[in-house]
Amino acid sequence: MIKAVLAVLLVLVTVSSTFAKYIPKTGKRIPQTLSRGWGDQLIWAQTYEEGLYWSRSRNKPLMVLFHLEDCPHSQALKKIFSEDDQLQKTLDEDFILLNLMYETTDKHLSPDGQYVPRILFVDPSMTVRADINGRYANRMYAYEPSDLSLLINNMKKAKKLLKSEL
Amino acid sequence: MIKAVLAVLLVLVTVSSTFAKYIPKTGKRIPQTLSRGWGDQLIWAQTYEEGLYWSRSRNKPLMVLFHLEDCPHSQALKKIFSEDDQLQKTLDEDFILLNLMYETTDKHLSPDGQYVPRILFVDPSMTVRADINGRYANRMYAYEPSDLSLLINNMKKAKKLLKSEL
């Protein structure tokens, strides 16, 4: 008898929890992640303001990564970027991270235009490191999947802070 | 024999996929969501710029929700907010949504100070609707869990666009 009551309760709880949650007409969606596939185990800032705040307060450089989900170059870089263990480990331990699909109002983040994929480093002193760039003269902050070692070298440069004393 | 080879291959694939993914020293993390628990089935803008863009292009009002994860008032409101089916449905169909844990540089989003929880509506004409407020004179854009019906009424006000013609 107790089992029957428990079973009914379980059914009621299941039914109510099923009905309590809103499901869109078009079907259940996978919740959006802040990583957007660039490293699900990393901690991402949501906005540039938040990234700058963490960068200053933790004295770590900020990496700002502009990308688009319908851009094949972004997607190709994302695959290499997210699957490289050493890169992910260094990012997790030594950097504040932000990925953006929309431009900010800060012109310093687009020194030579608004294109994707584009990676900018910002020093904890809030200086955009326009001196740390990739290998393409016309799109200085673009990286191809084959530029991964260059990106890792640039991360090392970014880790040498402009003002190392606090 | 073929089965054995397949089994070995399967083990190798499993092992390599296990090792290929970066796991932080402190253990595997749950990927951060953009909803932060305010509605996993809703589509959230990441930044204010993105929210304004979608609001203008889809001619829908933007709801900006400021909260903090260590604020009990935010958490209490979040529970009611995320579990109300009708609210979630209306938000999904008629609003552009943004939740933020860090303030933006736009002073219009803090007409009477930077506190949480705080809900502001922005018209597609990019006008912050400072006229749509809650019941507390000293914190005009704060809502308590018991203010849910007031919030729903305010959403109706926000849906009457300032300039309904395009």
Side-chain angles (χ1 to χ4, degrees):
Chain A
M1 179 59 190
I2 291 173
K3 271 191 185 170
V5 171
L6 284 177
V8 169
L9 272 178
L10 186 66
V11 168
L12 282 177
V13 167
T14 312
V15 169
S16 67
S17 69
T18 309
F19 280 85
K21 292 275 174 205
Y22 167 67
I23 309 278
K25 277 183 200 157
T26 48
K28 203 166 178 183
R29 302 182 186 127
I30 298 166
Q32 299 158 278
T33 61
L34 263 176
S35 82
R36 299 194 190 264
W38 291 84
D40 279 348
Q41 289 296 305
L42 305 180
I43 293 168
W44 296 87
Q46 182 181 346
T47 62
Y48 189 42
E49 289 88 349
E50 182 177 346
L52 289 175
Y53 173 80
W54 288 120
S55 173
R56 269 181 305 168
S57 59
R58 297 189 181 167
N59 207 37
K60 289 180 179 182
L62 168 64
M63 174 193 273
V64 187
L65 203 162
F66 290 91
H67 65 106
L68 282 173
E69 303 212 317
D70 56 0
C71 156
H73 298 282
S74 298
Q75 297 310 303
L77 182 64
K78 176 158 81 176
K79 186 168 159 51
I80 298 291
F81 187 101
S82 63
E83 290 179 357
D84 192 287
D85 260 26
Q86 191 52 50
L87 177 78
Q88 293 275 314
K89 184 176 189 292
T90 309
L91 289 173
D92 190 27
E93 295 174 357
D94 301 333
F95 285 83
I96 304 299
L97 299 167
L98 173 66
N99 75 78
L100 289 173
M101 302 203 301
Y102 284 79
E103 295 291 335
T104 70
T105 50
D106 193 324
K107 296 276 182 289
H108 295 99
L109 288 176
S110 47
D112 65 349
Q114 300 183 341
Y115 49 84
V116 292
R118 180 170 105 245
I119 298 177
L120 275 296
F121 293 96
V122 186
D123 192 75
S125 65
M126 294 179 67
T127 309
V128 174
R129 298 289 306 269
D131 59 312
I132 303 182
N133 57 273
R135 66 172 84 254
Y136 309 101
N138 56 338
R139 293 188 163 201
M140 286 180 63
Y141 307 97
Y143 294 83
E144 299 262 353
S146 55
D147 298 331
L148 197 69
S149 59
L150 173 60
L151 177 62
I152 289 169
N153 268 337
N154 281 349
M155 285 161 53
K156 284 183 191 151
K157 278 191 205 170
K159 279 168 65 177
K160 289 182 190 146
L161 303 186
L162 295 181
K163 292 173 185 169
S164 53
E165 70 279 9
L166 271 174
Chain B
M1 181 58 192
I2 291 173
K3 270 191 184 169
V5 170
L6 284 176
V8 168
L9 272 177
L10 185 68
V11 168
L12 282 176
V13 168
T14 312
V15 168
S16 67
S17 70
T18 309
F19 280 84
K21 291 275 172 203
Y22 167 68
I23 309 277
K25 275 182 200 157
T26 48
K28 203 166 178 183
R29 299 181 187 130
I30 297 166
Q32 299 159 279
T33 60
L34 264 176
S35 82
R36 299 193 190 265
W38 291 84
D40 280 349
Q41 289 296 306
L42 305 180
I43 294 168
W44 295 87
Q46 182 180 349
T47 63
Y48 189 41
E49 290 89 348
E50 182 177 346
L52 290 175
Y53 172 80
W54 287 120
S55 173
R56 269 182 304 168
S57 59
R58 298 190 181 168
N59 206 37
K60 289 181 178 180
L62 168 66
M63 174 193 271
V64 187
L65 203 163
F66 291 91
H67 65 105
L68 282 174
E69 302 211 317
D70 56 0
C71 157
H73 299 282
S74 298
Q75 297 309 304
L77 183 64
K78 175 158 81 176
K79 187 168 158 47
I80 298 290
F81 187 101
S82 62
E83 290 178 359
D84 191 286
D85 260 25
Q86 191 53 49
L87 177 78
Q88 293 275 313
K89 183 175 188 295
T90 308
L91 289 173
D92 190 26
E93 294 175 357
D94 301 333
F95 285 83
I96 303 299
L97 299 166
L98 173 67
N99 76 77
L100 289 172
M101 302 202 303
Y102 284 80
E103 295 291 336
T104 70
T105 50
D106 192 325
K107 295 276 183 288
H108 296 100
L109 288 176
S110 48
D112 64 348
Q114 300 182 340
Y115 50 86
V116 292
R118 181 170 107 245
I119 297 178
L120 273 295
F121 294 96
V122 186
D123 191 74
S125 64
M126 294 179 70
T127 308
V128 174
R129 297 289 306 268
D131 59 311
I132 303 181
N133 56 272
R135 66 172 82 254
Y136 309 101
N138 57 338
R139 292 187 164 203
M140 286 180 65
Y141 307 95
Y143 294 83
E144 298 264 351
S146 56
D147 299 330
L148 198 67
S149 60
L150 174 61
L151 178 61
I152 290 170
N153 267 335
N154 282 348
M155 284 162 54
K156 283 182 193 153
K157 279 190 206 170
K159 277 167 66 177
K160 289 183 189 143
L161 304 185
L162 296 181
K163 292 175 187 169
S164 54
E165 69 281 9
L166 270 173

